[in-house]
Amino acid sequence: MESGIKQDTRNRLSTFWVPTGGVAEKSKKKDGNELLVRAGFIRQAYSGIFHLLPLGLRVQQKLENLIDKHMQSIGASKLSLSSLSSQELWKRSGRLNDDSEIFRFNDRKGASFLLAPTHEEEITALVGSLVKSYRDLPLRVYQITRKYRDEPRPRQGLLRGREFLMKDLYTFDYSAEKGLDTYNTVKEVYTRIFDDLRLPYLVAAADSGNMGGDLSHEFHFENPNGEDTVITCTNCSHAFNEEIADGRGPKVENRQEPEHSEPFGPSPPPAISTGEWVTISRDKSMLVRAYYPKYLFDEGISEPVERQINSHALQSVARAYGAELDLGVKNPLEAWKIQANCPEPGDRNLRVLDVYDFRVRPFDKPPLNELLDSETAERAKVQFRSLHCYPGTTDSLDLLRVASGDKCSRCGEGVLHPHTTIELGHTFHLGTRYSSALQANVAVDPTKLIGGKGPEGASSVLVPLEMGCHGIGVSRMISAVATMLADHKGLKWPQVIAPFSAVICFGKGFEQDAEQVYDALVSGQMSPIDAVLDDRSHTFPWKLKDADLIGFPVILVLGKQWRSSKLVEVQCRQLDNFKDDVPLNELPSVVSSLLAKL
């Protein structure tokens, strides 16, 4: 039996848990994570682990809806994989080792599991067990789920946590050509996702790291708190993460790598002084000393410019030499000396590798005496090598980080500029990196492959699946956007992911008027405005300040102008602090036009 009472479905802040004010101290620094706490979006539970409060959840849901829309536009199906994964599966792919930042555990029966930081292994095993024919391809599946990483130093709130929300799309094709077509399709849809946020972003060529594959791109926001450096050219479209630096410099013709140090390579530009950067191999057996120009005269600049070594370039050189560096050791020289001074060093193959940037003149003799006395060096059988070329090539070594104003190597005309950024999205073309390891194969008609022939008389051939992996950091995007747009008053959200698009602020005695304004915004519109009434019991001035802190795109004020002339004061901080008094009948179109610009 119906009661006859009409239910009030209006959005009201009194029905939301919005604990604004928070526990973070107010500071003048533009810190999005601090503001997310103060404005009642998140709270920290433990180191690197956060609770998402109702306002934060609304932002997350808006962002998920945006991603869903674009994933569906390319025929991707949404699923949800388990957060638990088998350690054995990760061992088969080669990604599980003692240094992996992964939460691991055994169940009561002794089976080994882990909390998944990503799902390449699981989705490959799943698809490999279900898809047997090329006719079932292409396949595109994605999820938006919590991931886990045993981060040794959680920091910057949601930007580097131990639990985080990710969107990962996995694509499967039967040939490399089809896989590359899919990669380009996904890269294009990523640009549309970021375009919808209406915020400036950078797309950069990137290093695939331990994900595998040889083609990847990253999507970045500029942010002074970022941990990445993206280099862009003023003339061409060249943009890249400095992590992809391989350490290769100009070619050196008709020279052989010397056994020990001697002047080598092209005539270097004048270096004011030589810097030394010391690190050590992961097994602690090899000490690496990199020599580079600490100051250089750049073209068109009269004063010398201080330069820094690019650790990624040095790591690339070391890997080509057959060593893996441990760049996190605080005192690498002392760690290496412990090995050398061991009474019985045995067959540890202790080495010293001096690596020279092509702009530095090498030393005439190996300077070992500054490391060890001659007796210890002889007993430990320390081997010395000086490296002046990229191993196996005639390329000299370029170990420097790009500095603003360097010439672009691609177009030769523009100059390069580094940007401190936050990575928010990453697209990978994985190829058969996982499908080969996990034996995820599919039967293909030979005529569908380049070459068009299989074994004589065969109607099909088995080939490993061609894969792509494409991620977006959902939780870190919330933090990155918050920091990017914040000002001294508080947060400022793009309308597409704002918790509410407009808030109606009013004092006592305006309750029915505020409901009239709300109804005008949400009814009779082709696209109803996502509005909310601030009907909390706080004072009117407090509500106005809180609206700025929370960061609603549009703030509607019922005050003196409404009482005297039935005009609503419309405020929009993001559009040059727009403020105007608008009659009720024009309010929906005015608010809609403002939101269309955000």
Side-chain angles (χ1 to χ4, degrees), residues 159-376:
L159 290 183
R160 184 163 288 278
R162 305 170 77 193
E163 180 185 46
F164 50 96
L165 195 73
M166 280 283 297
K167 188 284 298 183
D168 39 351
L169 164 70
Y170 298 104
T171 64
F172 297 87
D173 292 276
Y174 64 80
S175 71
E177 295 72 33
K178 295 287 186 182
L180 288 173
D181 288 343
T182 295
Y183 180 87
N184 291 327
T185 297
V186 175
K187 184 168 173 280
E188 173 60 29
V189 84
Y190 265 42
T191 65
R192 296 202 293 270
I193 292 174
F194 282 87
D195 285 345
D196 279 355
L197 291 171
R198 302 197 173 182
L199 297 172
Y201 64 93
L202 298 170
V203 183
D207 180 17
S208 295
N210 72 348
M211 290 292 292
D214 55 6
L215 176 63
S216 70
H217 289 84
E218 295 170 340
F219 291 74
H220 290 257
F221 284 166
E222 281 199 71
N223 189 302
N225 298 323
E227 298 178 331
D228 287 276
T229 300
V230 170
I231 314 299
T232 61
C233 173
T234 58
N235 181 65
C236 66
S237 59
H238 192 33
F240 60 95
N241 192 314
E242 73 170 4
E243 291 179 353
I244 69 172
D246 60 6
R248 294 173 184 256
K251 286 190 177 297
V252 181
E253 302 296 340
N254 303 319
R255 291 297 301 271
Q256 296 294 320
E257 179 83 12
E259 189 65 28
H260 294 296
S261 298
E262 62 182 55
F264 184 79
S267 298
I272 303 303
S273 64
T274 298
E276 181 185 57
W277 201 82
V278 182
T279 186
I280 196 171
S281 61
R282 284 195 179 276
D283 63 5
K284 306 297 187 291
S285 69
M286 186 172 73
L287 184 73
V288 177
R289 299 182 296 183
Y291 296 98
Y292 65 100
K294 197 169 184 179
Y295 295 91
L296 282 178
F297 282 106
D298 284 353
E299 183 177 344
I301 300 177
S302 59
E303 295 295 323
V305 177
E306 184 175 4
R307 306 306 294 259
Q308 295 178 326
I309 199 164
N310 187 332
S311 61
H312 304 291
L314 183 60
Q315 181 73 276
S316 174
V317 173
R319 284 173 179 159
Y321 184 71
E324 187 74 24
L325 301 182
D326 189 347
L327 302 175
V329 176
K330 291 184 177 180
N331 196 329
L333 179 56
E334 290 304 313
W336 182 81
K337 281 185 175 180
I338 290 174
Q339 302 293 322
N341 288 314
C342 180
E344 297 181 2
D347 57 353
R348 292 181 183 170
N349 192 26
L350 295 180
R351 295 170 289 168
V352 174
L353 179 67
D354 282 354
V355 183
Y356 289 93
D357 182 274
F358 80 92
R359 286 155 284 216
V360 170
R361 287 294 182 183
F363 297 106
D364 290 333
K365 295 180 180 179
L368 277 174
N369 58 337
E370 65 186 57
L371 300 177
L372 302 169
D373 60 71
S374 57
E375 181 180 343
T376 301

Side-chain angles (χ1 to χ4, degrees), residues 484-555:
M484 193 176 199
L485 293 179
D487 63 13
H488 68 284
K489 289 186 176 181
L491 300 166
K492 293 190 292 186
W493 294 104
Q495 71 89 15
V496 72
I497 63 170
F500 294 97
S501 298
V503 62
I504 303 167
C505 293
F506 56 94
K508 290 183 178 179
F510 288 86
E511 289 82 1
Q512 291 185 350
D513 303 279
E515 290 178 356
Q516 183 182 358
V517 171
Y518 179 96
D519 292 342
L521 293 175
V522 302
S523 61
Q525 298 289 311
M526 292 184 63
S527 298
I529 294 167
D530 186 21
V532 64
L533 293 160
D534 190 351
D535 60 342
R536 294 173 292 179
S537 59
H538 297 286
T539 65
F540 184 50
W542 187 95
K543 291 181 182 181
L544 293 176
K545 288 185 178 181
D546 199 55
D548 283 335
L549 175 62
I550 291 173
F552 299 105
V554 174
I555 300 173

Side-chain angles (χ1 to χ4, degrees), residues 422-438:
I422 293 173
E423 177 197 338
L424 298 169
H426 205 148
T427 58
F428 297 91
H429 175 60
L430 301 174
T432 61
R433 157 74 173 86
Y434 296 91
S435 55
S436 293
L438 301 177

Side-chain angles (χ1 to χ4, degrees), residues 516-529 556 568 570 582-595:
Q516 183 182 358
V517 171
Y518 179 96
D519 292 342
L521 293 175
V522 302
S523 61
Q525 298 289 311
M526 292 184 63
S527 298
I529 294 167
L556 307 176
V568 179
V570 181
V582 179
L584 184 60
N585 65 324
E586 297 178 12
L587 187 63
S589 61
V590 170
V591 173
S592 294
S593 66
L594 291 173
L595 293 174

Side-chain angles (χ1 to χ4, degrees), residues 10-23:
R10 300 181 183 96
N11 292 323
R12 299 174 179 274
L13 286 182
S14 62
T15 65
F16 280 82
W17 186 32
V18 187
T20 53
V23 295

Side-chain angles (χ1 to χ4, degrees), residues 66-115:
L66 174 65
I67 292 170
D68 286 339
K69 178 185 75 171
H70 286 287
M71 290 298 98
Q72 291 163 10
S73 74
I74 58 171
S77 299
K78 194 172 187 179
L79 48 66
S80 179
L81 300 173
S82 172
S83 294
L84 301 184
S85 185
S86 163
Q87 290 188 30
E88 180 59 33
L89 200 59
W90 279 64
K91 289 176 182 177
R92 287 173 59 193
S93 73
R95 286 208 298 174
L96 187 65
N97 54 59
D98 292 341
D99 296 327
S100 300
E101 296 175 354
I102 293 176
F103 289 103
R104 306 171 224 208
F105 65 95
N106 293 334
D107 67 12
R108 65 180 65 195
K109 296 180 181 179
S112 298
F113 291 94
L114 54 81
L115 292 178

